[in-house]
Amino acid sequence: MGVNKTYIGFGIFFLLMSILHVIPAFFLREAPIPAGYMMFAMAVMSFCLSYLFPQFKMKDERSRMIREKGMFYSYFFMLGYIIVFIPLL
């Protein structure tokens, strides 16, 4: 089983788990538990990685640029998270 299919398998698994978290909250007319949101985010990330895996496998200039942009934006999101939420704790 290739890595691409593994990402798709994990995406389907996380999507089903998020649906299982949302359905009871829908019938109870309450907000879903936060784990449902996290499972959905992990499903989206798995599907995105399955789409990007062939480009990452080649290790060319384009994949290097994608990695650099990902690290750049994740650094500033993490920095913003730390600046905002650490003082609140």
Side-chain angles (χ1 to χ4, degrees):
M1 189 167 181
V3 176
N4 196 13
K5 291 180 183 177
T6 304
Y7 284 131
I8 292 173
F10 277 120
I12 291 170
F13 172 73
F14 288 133
L15 187 63
L16 291 175
M17 291 297 291
S18 67
I19 290 171
L20 287 175
H21 281 99
V22 169
I23 287 176
F26 177 75
F27 285 121
L28 294 174
R29 296 185 183 182
E30 295 179 358
I33 60 173
Y37 298 123
M38 186 58 67
M39 291 289 175
F40 182 73
M42 289 170 60
V44 170
M45 183 61 73
S46 295
F47 289 132
C48 290
L49 286 172
S50 72
Y51 175 75
L52 290 173
F53 177 71
Q55 284 84 17
F56 284 156
K57 186 171 61 171
M58 292 187 298
K59 295 187 179 183
D60 60 352
E61 184 69 27
R62 184 175 164 205
S63 66
R64 189 174 67 82
M65 185 183 69
I66 292 171
R67 285 188 189 111
E68 286 176 2
K69 283 187 178 183
M71 290 299 291
F72 179 78
Y73 290 119
S74 65
Y75 170 76
F76 284 110
F77 279 120
M78 185 61 76
L79 187 65
Y81 175 82
I82 289 171
I83 289 171
V84 171
F85 287 112
I86 296 297
L88 292 175
L89 290 176

